[in-house]
């Protein structure tokens, strides 16, 4: 499956503050209709953690020996169903002084950020970081390979993976095959739905809502082959942006700058710069062995700036000017006449 060009995103995990502004930006723009209540096309989870849907990394899918594998179909509860609150009593029922805002029905046992900020490790060397995720708009998408209706396609002009809802019959093989579990099922419409990489915004020169609204300046956007834009430099030139779970074989087009994490403390309580707080083995389990090379480059460039030397890479990652992060997709959405 080939596209003329490929849109992509790089997320710097050293800068994500877990504020969920990205999630809210996507939710308010794309998933407000009926049937989409539980959908979060953008999620931000604490790692190590179970993620969203719960335990998605162990649900299978992706490719094995070149063949798409059907993994587990995540349930609504595993995604974390949208909770119903007693708004009508508190705000409209005249009982505001007798009751308080609470969840209606059964007490939930799971939600999209149930294990937020728990992380792992033993005090004082406990650790966590935030992992924002969207559909990876893969070059070799397992969701496309698994769909018997040919209802999912990669757009020729930009490689964005979209679902044709007129062709979808709701078999949900795509949900089973996606190793990132980034497809949702709309029970009202009977079709699968997912992140559209904000293509209607990109077509107007406006970058993705989740990227544009990010206060941490975590997200870079652009074509992968645009050598003047940060994406190419981060992925191809410096090789510090790497995909999540590359072993699943889908060739993601969302890349991550791995988290360096703070220094550890030794048994005497002194700072131990040599032992990484976030274990290498854990990062390798997420990003593959290339994560170690990426971390080496990041640390070396950081040392350069400490010595007062210039580092193009550090300047790029600091992102002094937000509009230089988006590969030319930097128009103000307020200036566009939206259809
Ligand atoms: Fe398809 Fe999943 Fe890749 Fe998105 S992340 S393109 S849904 S296989
Ligand atoms: Fe949502 Fe657009 Fe971000 Fe996809 S790219 S998660 S559709 S805001
Ligand atoms: Fe992280 Fe940016 Fe999302 Fe906040 S908006 S959670 S900083 S990616």
């Amino acid at each position: 499956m080939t596209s003329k060009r490929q849109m992509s995103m790089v997320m710097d995990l050293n800068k994500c503050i877990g504020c969920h502004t990205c999630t809210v930006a996507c939710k308010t723009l794309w998933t407000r209709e009926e049937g989409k209540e539980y959908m979060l096309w953008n999620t931000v989870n604490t790692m190590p953690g179970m993620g969203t849907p719960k335990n998605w990394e162990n649900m299978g899918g992706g490719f094995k020996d070149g063949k798409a594998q059907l993994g587990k179909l995540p349930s609504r509860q595993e995604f974390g169903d949208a909770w119903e609150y007693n708004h009508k009593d508190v705000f409209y029922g005249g009982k505001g002084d007798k009751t308080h805002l609470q969840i209606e029905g059964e007490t939930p046992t799971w939600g999209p950020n149930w294990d937020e900020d728990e992380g792992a490790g033993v005090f004082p060397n406990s650790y966590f970081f935030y992992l924002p995720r969207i559909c990876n708009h893969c070059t070799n998408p397992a969701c496309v390979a698994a769909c018997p209706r040919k209802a999912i396609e990669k757009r020729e002009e930009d490689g964005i993976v979209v679902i044709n809802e007129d062709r979808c019959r709701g078999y949900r093989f795509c949900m089973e095959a996606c190793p990132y579990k980034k497809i949702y099922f709309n029970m009202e419409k009977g079709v699968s739905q997912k992140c559209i990489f904000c293509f209607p915004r990109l077509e107007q020169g406006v970058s993705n809502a989740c990227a544009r609204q990010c206060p941490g300046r975590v997200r870079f956007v652009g074509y992968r082959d645009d050598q003047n834009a940060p994406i190419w430099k981060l992925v191809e030139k410096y090789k510090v942006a790497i995909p999540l779970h590359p072993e699943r074989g889908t060739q993601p087009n969302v890349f991550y700058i791995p988290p360096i994490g703070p220094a550890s403390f030794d048994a005497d309580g002194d700072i131990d710069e040599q032992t990484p707080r976030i274990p290498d083995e854990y990062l390798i389990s997420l990003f593959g062995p290339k994560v170690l090379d990426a971390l080496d480059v990041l640390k070396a460039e950081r040392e350069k700036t400490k010595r007062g030397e210039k580092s193009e890479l550090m300047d790029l990652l600091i992102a002094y000017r937000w509009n230089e992060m988006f590969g030319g997709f930097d128009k103000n959405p307020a200036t566009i006449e939206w259809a």
Side-chain angles (χ1 to χ4, degrees):
M1 178 167 295
T2 52
S3 313
K4 284 185 187 143
R5 298 190 83 184
Q6 179 65 57
M7 282 302 299
S8 62
M9 191 180 283
V10 169
M11 305 196 206
D12 185 351
L13 299 184
N14 292 294
K15 290 163 74 183
C16 179
I17 54 173
C19 65
H20 301 276
T21 309
C22 46
T23 307
V24 175
C26 181
K27 185 83 199 148
T28 51
L29 192 58
W30 300 118
T31 60
R32 280 167 49 167
E33 297 97 345
E34 232 179 310
K36 289 180 168 174
E37 294 85 350
Y38 83 109
M39 294 186 196
L40 296 169
W41 292 354
N42 182 102
T43 47
V44 184
N45 290 125
T46 298
M47 303 297 281
M50 299 288 251
T52 309
K54 184 181 184 182
N55 207 16
W56 66 272
E57 289 176 277
N58 293 314
M59 286 185 176
F63 289 91
K64 199 171 174 195
D65 302 326
K67 286 198 181 125
Q69 305 291 305
L70 293 182
K72 185 176 186 292
L73 181 69
S75 67
R76 285 267 293 249
Q77 288 68 34
E78 284 163 330
F79 275 112
D81 223 342
W83 301 336
E84 295 288 337
Y85 286 84
N86 59 337
H87 289 118
K88 56 183 183 307
D89 283 347
V90 176
F91 296 121
Y92 313 114
K95 298 183 196 159
D97 57 348
K98 297 187 186 66
T99 186
H100 59 88
L101 200 60
Q102 55 192 317
I103 295 167
E104 286 190 326
E106 279 179 36
T107 306
T109 55
W110 180 253
N113 285 288
W114 197 261
D115 53 1
E116 187 159 43
D117 292 357
E118 281 184 16
V122 178
F123 181 83
N125 287 320
S126 35
Y127 64 93
F128 68 76
F129 59 92
Y130 299 111
L131 181 70
R133 296 199 306 120
I134 65 173
C135 163
N136 292 294
H137 298 278
C138 307
T139 297
N140 186 30
C143 55
V144 174
C147 177
R149 290 278 306 160
K150 298 195 186 320
I152 314 180
E153 60 191 64
K154 267 183 92 62
R155 289 168 29 121
E156 201 185 350
E157 62 271 39
D158 52 23
I160 293 174
V161 175
V162 289
I163 298 175
N164 181 339
E165 292 184 11
D166 293 332
R167 290 199 61 80
C168 178
R169 291 290 178 273
Y171 300 147
R172 285 169 264 188
F173 292 127
C174 54
M175 292 176 73
E176 294 180 38
C178 171
Y180 301 93
K181 301 301 168 204
K182 270 294 165 189
I183 300 189
Y184 295 77
F185 191 66
N186 186 323
M187 295 295 281
E188 300 295 325
K189 292 180 82 176
V191 295
S192 297
Q193 294 177 322
K194 62 180 276 302
C195 158
I196 56 172
F197 209 73
C198 285
F199 74 81
R201 288 169 65 100
L202 296 174
E203 286 172 353
Q204 301 283 346
V206 179
S207 98
N208 318 50
C210 54
R212 175 79 198 237
Q213 299 296 322
C214 171
R217 298 193 183 178
V218 166
R219 299 175 183 228
F220 300 83
V221 173
Y223 287 112
R224 277 195 63 178
D225 62 355
D226 181 356
Q227 298 197 9
N228 296 314
I231 292 263
W232 184 84
K233 290 181 182 171
L234 296 171
V235 176
E236 306 293 347
K237 182 176 176 185
Y238 292 105
K239 301 191 191 313
V240 290
I242 47 180
L244 180 62
H245 286 304
E247 78 284 0
R248 302 294 171 94
T250 64
Q251 300 173 35
N253 287 298
V254 173
F255 300 87
Y256 295 92
I257 309 290
I260 295 177
S264 299
F265 292 102
D266 64 19
D268 300 324
D270 295 323
I271 289 175
D272 171 8
E273 295 278 5
Q274 302 312 314
T275 310
R277 180 85 70 99
I278 306 173
D280 286 347
E281 306 76 54
Y282 180 61
L283 292 176
I284 291 170
S285 76
L286 291 177
F287 301 107
K290 285 187 182 165
V291 71
L292 299 183
D293 299 332
L295 287 170
D296 283 347
V297 173
L298 289 166
K299 287 176 189 165
E301 293 291 317
R302 200 168 65 169
E303 288 305 314
K304 262 167 78 175
T305 58
K306 276 192 196 166
R307 294 194 299 268
E309 296 169 28
K310 182 110 184 108
S311 165
E312 182 192 42
L313 177 58
M314 286 297 123
D315 284 350
L316 277 176
L317 291 174
I318 289 169
Y320 290 104
R321 285 167 288 277
W322 67 267
N323 50 348
E324 290 176 5
M325 299 176 71
F326 298 150
F329 295 89
D330 58 357
K331 277 205 187 137
N332 181 350
T335 64
I336 310 284
E337 272 191 40
W338 299 97

